[in-house]
Amino acid sequence: MQAKKIGMFLLALSMGMTVLVGGLHHQASASERRLPTSDAEIKMSFSPLVKQTAPSVVNIYTKKVVTSRPANPFMNDPFFNQFFGNRFGGAFGAPRQRVERSLGSGVIVSSDGTIVTNRHVIDGASEIRVVLHDRREFDAKLVGADERTDLAVLKLQDVHDALPTLKLGNSDDVEVGDLVLAIGNPFGVGQTVTSGIVSALARAGVTGQDYQSFIQTDAAINPGNSGGALIDMNGDLIGVNSAIFTKSGGSNGIGFAIPVNMVKVVMRGLISGDLRRPWLGASGQTVTADLARSLELERPGGVLINAIHPNSPARRAGLKAGDVVVAVNGLEVDDPNSLRFRVATLEPKGQAVLTIIRAGRKQDVSVPLEVAPEVPARDETTIKTRSPFAGAKVANVNPALADELGIDTLTTGVIVLDVASNSLARQANLKPGDLITEVNKTRIGSVADLNAVLRKGEKGRNWSVAVKRDGKILTADYTL
């Protein structure tokens, strides 16, 4: 708390803001602003807070071996191939291995050497080396990684002494304007501390991850800071620095951190080996100003529910299409992304209280926190029948698979999971994520439906196919 008071006092003095001194509010006007006069005032800084927290932030160095085949500049030259064949194939086309090194940061969250960082910091690494604040070095093993949140957990090897840790705070208590410090290893120059404020909350659309509700800060964050700590003035971890908005490769004053409440859930799941998230089973849209007027709401905000899965917790809890969800466990939601994030930060057990507006009246609904079910069975199948689908791996979409793929969990039908190279499916331009809706004018609702249509048409040469891709229906005719 002392560091927080110091930081707020310094900021207030420099800006002429209201300062709380001795329990009394005092407005520091332009005429009253002055230089510090006492030794105590001159020495006010974040130094005590940095000394407390910096030892818990580590530098991460990774190494991975990449195999590549340099392109032969004459490979596609018929004249060259006719006379020389593959004589120079070894010179130009032989596989070569090279070592790629990268760097990042991490946070010690347990005294036994458990570290949380970004997944992209250690992705594909064959060797992970961690350097502590006191320059001790350890090898680290990957405990687990979650691509959907870009988080990973490491465990240091051969740790014999208790290591310093950061206390995990509560990111739901963070407010815009709060002072924060970012600690990491930018550009590999060594551990660095920068200060700033929380610029915004619940930022989405920043990266490709599914669950996005970033804390935005203007504390300078640069490449190498990824996986480092964002701390508050109590010295608590409130976020893991993850991304920057930049056009030059350096900090432009817009950095993003994964809220620590999401970090807690993912970390526990990765350590236990059972990372599963609650499933609501309902989808909706943001309540805009126009929608608010049509629904006779006081103001825009919340999520208008427009579809509910028939076997979902939302259905059993009595949620209905037309309800407007405005809060989860007392925390406001403003759009579908924030609703999804709030539910995902809860453990899949017990119940969550959704505050909704129905027919103009606000009420609470208790929804059981359950994981998405595997119903119907996936029935994953690689198509071998000679058809435009030969070489494609398909499956029935159920809520669990849809959740894994990051698509709407109310999706049903047959989805393409993979397409083999040099296959008829690849030639037909099928892609993973395509939802097969129709083959030879027959609706496809399951893998069994697809196999039946393919067996029926395998003696023919002509095929008509319709798939749904990126929300659009694409049709094509093939002759095999």
Side-chain angles (χ1 to χ4, degrees):
M1 281 306 292
Q2 183 64 26
K4 185 170 186 178
K5 291 178 181 178
I6 292 171
M8 292 300 293
F9 183 82
L10 284 173
L11 186 67
L13 274 180
S14 65
M15 299 178 64
M17 295 170 57
T18 300
V19 184
L20 185 62
V21 181
L24 298 176
H25 283 284
H26 176 68
Q27 182 67 33
S29 64
S31 61
E32 294 174 313
R33 275 180 271 170
R34 58 180 178 79
L35 293 174
T37 56
S38 68
D39 289 343
E41 289 180 355
I42 293 173
K43 292 179 180 179
M44 286 180 179
S45 76
F46 292 124
S47 178
L49 186 60
V50 174
K51 289 178 180 178
Q52 170 191 336
T53 57
S56 303
V57 182
V58 302
N59 300 335
I60 299 176
Y61 299 89
T62 66
K63 179 176 74 174
K64 64 180 176 180
V65 178
V66 178
T67 302
S68 60
R69 183 184 294 272
N72 185 332
F74 304 106
M75 188 176 296
N76 297 319
D77 189 324
F79 178 83
F80 183 88
N81 287 331
Q82 179 182 356
F83 288 95
F84 296 99
N86 293 323
R87 184 180 305 175
F88 297 102
F92 292 107
R96 298 180 182 177
Q97 290 188 333
R98 56 188 173 85
V99 175
E100 285 189 355
R101 301 181 186 274
S102 60
L103 57 90
S105 306
V107 182
I108 304 174
V109 293
S110 176
S111 60
D112 63 358
T114 301
I115 291 174
V116 65
T117 185
N118 284 139
R119 175 186 177 274
H120 72 260
V121 169
I122 51 81
D123 186 29
S126 58
E127 181 179 312
I128 304 174
R129 191 73 173 169
V130 173
V131 180
L132 272 57
H133 183 264
D134 59 10
R135 298 187 181 181
R136 283 183 292 169
E137 296 187 15
F138 295 88
D139 289 325
K141 287 189 176 181
L142 177 64
V143 175
D146 181 37
E147 182 178 4
R148 303 179 67 184
T149 55
D150 191 27
L151 289 170
V153 174
L154 309 176
K155 181 66 181 297
L156 298 185
Q157 304 299 293
D158 301 321
V159 174
H160 303 296
D161 301 318
L163 300 180
T165 64
L166 272 185
K167 178 184 175 183
L168 303 185
N170 182 359
S171 51
D172 289 337
D173 290 339
V174 177
E175 296 183 357
V176 174
D178 284 354
L179 281 169
V180 291
L181 299 182
I183 309 176
N185 180 20
F187 300 113
V189 299
Q191 192 176 85
T192 303
V193 181
T194 56
S195 67
I197 64 168
V198 173
S199 308
L201 298 172
R203 286 299 196 216
V206 177
T207 66
Q209 279 66 49
D210 293 337
Y211 299 101
Q212 294 191 29
S213 188
F214 289 105
I215 299 171
Q216 180 181 323
T217 176
D218 67 348
I221 296 175
N222 288 289
N225 272 107
S226 291
L230 187 71
I231 64 171
D232 62 15
M233 293 298 103
N234 293 319
D236 295 341
L237 181 72
I238 59 170
V240 171
N241 298 321
S242 182
I244 59 174
F245 180 84
T246 179
K247 295 182 180 179
S248 62
S251 175
N252 286 342
I254 301 178
F256 302 95
I258 302 169
V260 73
N261 287 6
M262 175 61 82
V263 175
K264 293 176 187 177
V265 172
V266 174
M267 185 176 65
R268 283 194 291 266
L270 292 176
I271 293 173
S272 68
D274 184 24
L275 178 57
R276 296 187 295 172
R277 301 173 177 87
W279 174 60
L280 184 59
S283 63
Q285 65 188 98
T286 302
V287 176
T288 62
D290 290 339
L291 267 178
R293 281 193 294 270
S294 66
L295 296 170
E296 298 182 350
L297 301 178
E298 294 181 359
R299 63 177 182 85
V303 179
L304 174 63
I305 301 299
N306 51 34
I308 300 176
H309 193 283
N311 297 316
S312 65
R315 175 72 70 187
R316 292 194 296 278
L319 204 64
K320 300 178 180 179
D323 290 342
V324 177
V325 180
V326 295
V328 176
N329 286 348
L331 300 169
E332 289 189 0
V333 295
D334 291 323
D335 51 46
N337 184 75
S338 62
L339 173 59
R340 191 179 186 203
F341 178 84
R342 287 298 177 197
V343 173
T345 56
L346 303 174
E347 297 287 351
K349 59 184 178 181
Q351 294 186 328
V353 177
L354 270 58
T355 302
I356 67 170
I357 299 176
R358 177 183 295 169
R361 299 184 61 183
K362 186 176 288 188
Q363 63 185 82
D364 290 338
V365 176
S366 294
V367 179
L369 294 171
E370 303 170 0
V371 297
E374 291 277 3
V375 180
R378 300 188 186 195
D379 193 15
E380 294 185 9
T381 303
T382 299
I383 303 298
K384 297 180 180 179
T385 305
R386 181 173 174 78
S387 69
F389 300 95
K393 184 179 182 180
V394 299
N396 293 322
V397 183
N398 59 37
L401 177 58
D403 186 56
E404 287 179 17
L405 298 175
I407 62 177
D408 188 350
T409 55
L410 274 63
T411 302
T412 59
V414 178
I415 196 167
V416 177
L417 296 177
D418 193 21
V419 179
S421 59
N422 301 320
S423 64
L424 290 174
R426 177 65 61 87
Q427 295 175 27
N429 198 33
L430 285 176
K431 297 182 178 181
D434 285 349
L435 197 67
I436 304 168
T437 59
E438 192 175 282
V439 178
N440 290 347
K441 309 301 181 183
T442 301
R443 296 289 299 174
I444 303 300
S446 66
V447 172
D449 291 343
L450 178 61
N451 281 326
V453 172
L454 296 183
R455 285 193 297 268
K456 184 178 179 181
E458 65 180 328
K459 295 182 180 179
R461 291 174 51 84
N462 299 319
W463 298 84
S464 63
V465 174
V467 301
K468 188 175 183 179
R469 181 185 299 169
D470 298 328
K472 299 179 180 179
I473 298 295
L474 307 178
T475 60
D477 295 320
Y478 305 95
T479 301
L480 302 181

